[in-house]
Amino acid sequence: MNRYPIWKYAIILIVLVVSAIYALPNLFGESPAVQVSAGRSSVRIDAGTVTRVEQVLAAQSIEPSLMQLDAGSIKVRFEDTDTQLKARDALEKALNPDPADVTHVVALNLLPRTPSWLASLGAAPMYLGLDLRGGVHFMLQVDMAAALQRRADVLTSDLRTLLREKGIRHGGIGRNGQSIELRAGDAQTLATARDLVRAQFPDLAFTDTPDFRLLATITPEAARRVQEQALKQNITTLHNRINELGVAEPVIQQQGVDRIVVQLPGVQDTAKAKDILGRTATLELRLVDESTDGLAAERGSGAVPFGSERYLERNGRAVIVKRDVLLTGENLTDAQAGFDSQTQESAVHLTLDAKGSRVFRDITRENVGKRMAIILFEKGRGEVVTAPVIRGEIGGGRVQISGAMTSVEATDTALLLRAGSLAAPMEIIEERTIGPSLGAENIAKGFNSVLWGFIAIVVFMCIYYALFGAFSSLALGFNVLLLVSLLSMLQATLTLPGIAAMALALGMAIDSNVLINERVREELRRGASPQMAINAGYDHAWSTILDSNVTSLIAGIALLIFGSGPVRGFAVVHCLGIVTSMFSSVFFSRGVVNFWYGRQKKLKTVSIGTVWRPEGQTPAIKGD
């Protein structure tokens, strides 16, 4: 009756071993480290950089515990934070001699001390949130006015192109703030332009003036869409960029209508964190100024003409380009590194959206024989990737960037372009650094709260339920082990609210065992044999345990879906704790009880504490 088949014990044993293996990395802690990554897409991190880092550290008599080249960055581990800070200062000075020209990002980091044999099994410690690990917290304000001005620039360009295609002559189109002004020569031209704007530009609201001018502004509904899209694009861009730089489990989320919260656990250097946030690249296509003054300025024998700008190619050669932007990275849908099919040189293959394809086709058709510069902007500095001569019309939405670049540079450029550009500028309005010592204090307090709660529960259960209380305590310990291993396998982020949810999971898990134990006692009061009481107790308690846990799980899922930040951290641990408690409280504890009592054929009594009975009723069996 109360016997498990071998396969059920095998399942328990396998789960126990796997849980122990994947929970084990959390005991080894983290070691302070310095991470060196590329500060620009043209900088290459390779074995030569590793050798240079080794030489810099050796010159300062700094002995690292481990150095590894991983995913385009160098990670150097140290035994203590003092050595870590000394190494960071030495590497920063050696790799970036000019503070104004940062070629390498040298940042503080924390790396797990997981042994190699555990790491080879895919075992890794769970991520710790900002409140436990320390790190930096930023509140970013998105400049929505700039986003609307950019949208107005795009609409102005589109309107100018449309009027030219329709052959409508006008006195000029300009942008004034977030409004667009069209000057018409007469009433007929004004009426034609007004009808065209009404039909082709539903995002614009317009008014006429007596002097034949048409003033168009972005409608409130369109402005709201632009602002929402700018916020979403900025969040996506930050996600892509930070993920590519290897920051573990960043938190990037919207707060309010125009703010973004960024939390980078483990990053202790605020200046480097700001550099990470600002490292986005965008692309601009402009025509080269091939006038007499432009060519003279390119040779260095004259000033840059009005309406043009000077940028450098990667080989240091100057290129004078016009300020008018023909196409931007906003129209880019994909960027992949590859090779030029004719010259076999490294290249970046771009794919444009429908609008970008149409604009690029028109540009190449109307400027055959002229040079067009493709400029990559990174951290506010522009660099001409290539400035080829347009040989003919190019359609299809596929563009190739090739020039003096290596395959690594092509890959890095494609990564930056895929990360995208910010749809609107952002300003840091709040920054906060949480030191690792405060995080360690929070971990110690959280661990102690869970530990003392666990001890209190074990003491109570063993006193009140005797041996069955000990079985329940074993199941509770198994539940904690299983929960920690699941969090580690899923690489979930543990925060202070998550520790609170873990403490709550202990109470909910032991509640299931209390129900089972009381059901067994109830059967004993009715005069059932011990074996019958154990079997009936587990069977009758199961439906109640299932109902209560399912309702709690529904509440946890709601918190997970609709909550954010600390609420989601609580919800993740809460939901996992419910699942693990149902397995440990019922399946595991039943296995322990069956293993202990199921072998005894003539069981006369069970150790489940005092079985209270109504007055005047003689119990058939009395538990001890």
Side-chain angles (χ1 to χ4, degrees), residues 35-330:
Q35 180 170 320
V36 179
S37 55
R40 291 204 302 258
S41 60
S42 57
V43 175
R44 183 178 179 182
I45 303 295
D46 53 14
T49 313
V50 174
T51 303
R52 188 179 176 189
V53 170
E54 291 174 344
Q55 293 172 350
V56 171
L57 296 178
Q60 298 294 325
S61 301
I62 299 174
E63 185 68 27
S65 58
L66 181 66
M67 184 182 303
Q68 61 189 62
L69 178 61
D70 180 29
S73 65
I74 301 172
K75 297 175 181 177
V76 189
R77 299 172 184 253
F78 303 94
E79 293 298 331
D80 53 70
T81 55
D82 291 338
T83 308
Q84 176 198 32
L85 294 174
K86 184 180 178 181
R88 190 274 309 271
D89 294 339
L91 291 172
E92 182 71 46
K93 185 177 180 180
L95 298 178
N96 298 313
D98 182 6
D101 185 20
V102 179
T103 58
H104 295 80
V105 176
V106 183
L108 303 178
N109 206 341
L110 294 171
L111 299 176
R113 290 193 178 101
T114 306
S116 57
W117 68 272
L118 275 177
S120 64
L121 297 175
M126 70 182 87
Y127 288 121
L128 299 180
L130 194 69
D131 47 4
L132 296 180
R133 194 182 186 197
V136 291
H137 165 100
F138 293 108
M139 177 82 75
L140 303 172
Q141 177 87 41
V142 181
D143 189 351
M144 292 303 183
L148 293 174
Q149 288 180 4
R150 289 188 179 184
R151 179 59 179 165
D153 283 334
V154 173
L155 291 173
T156 301
S157 177
D158 292 347
L159 179 59
R160 185 181 294 112
T161 302
L162 184 62
L163 292 176
R164 183 172 63 249
E165 291 177 351
K166 299 294 184 181
I168 300 175
R169 295 184 174 274
H170 54 84
I173 300 176
R175 179 182 64 82
N176 184 13
Q178 298 176 13
S179 62
I180 302 171
E181 179 181 328
L182 169 64
R183 293 181 292 276
D186 50 52
Q188 183 179 356
T189 303
L190 181 64
T192 304
R194 183 174 58 247
D195 294 340
L196 190 62
V197 170
R198 181 185 290 114
Q200 300 292 332
F201 295 90
D203 291 346
L204 293 177
F206 53 88
T207 56
D208 299 346
T209 62
D211 56 348
F212 305 116
R213 287 187 303 147
L214 186 67
L215 299 178
T217 57
I218 301 176
T219 63
E221 178 64 24
R224 183 185 61 80
R225 290 198 305 268
V226 169
Q227 292 173 344
E228 290 178 352
Q229 183 178 1
L231 198 66
K232 291 179 180 178
Q233 182 176 335
N234 279 13
I235 290 175
T236 302
T237 299
L238 291 175
H239 263 298
N240 293 339
R241 194 68 216 113
I242 290 172
N243 288 341
E244 287 172 3
L245 288 176
V247 178
E249 287 298 302
V251 175
I252 306 171
Q253 60 190 16
Q254 177 180 346
Q255 181 163 325
V257 296
D258 59 352
R259 293 181 178 181
I260 299 174
V261 172
V262 178
Q263 295 181 352
L264 305 177
V267 177
Q268 299 298 320
D269 195 328
T270 305
K272 295 306 176 187
K274 290 180 181 178
D275 184 76
I276 289 173
L277 296 181
R279 274 205 68 203
T280 55
T282 185
L283 201 68
E284 288 186 0
L285 272 66
R286 305 188 191 183
L287 289 176
V288 176
D289 188 347
E290 298 182 287
S291 63
T292 303
D293 293 338
L295 294 175
E298 192 171 290
R299 292 191 298 268
S301 58
V304 177
F306 178 77
S308 298
E309 293 178 329
R310 180 177 182 269
Y311 292 101
L312 297 178
E313 291 184 304
R314 294 188 173 180
N315 57 12
R317 182 173 177 271
V319 178
I320 308 301
V321 300
K322 296 181 179 179
R323 288 185 178 177
D324 293 335
V325 179
L326 304 177
L327 201 63
T328 68
E330 294 180 0

Side-chain angles (χ1 to χ4, degrees), residues 524 530 597 600 602-608 621-624:
L524 291 174
Y597 285 116
Q600 304 179 31
K602 297 180 180 181
L603 182 63
K604 296 181 179 180
T605 183
V606 291
S607 178
I608 197 170
I621 291 181
K622 191 174 184 180
D624 50 33

Side-chain angles (χ1 to χ4, degrees), residues 540-560:
H540 294 164
W542 167 244
S543 59
T544 304
I545 294 172
L546 181 62
D547 291 344
S548 63
N549 281 282
V550 166
T551 53
S552 298
L553 186 61
I554 291 173
I557 293 174
L559 291 176
L560 190 61

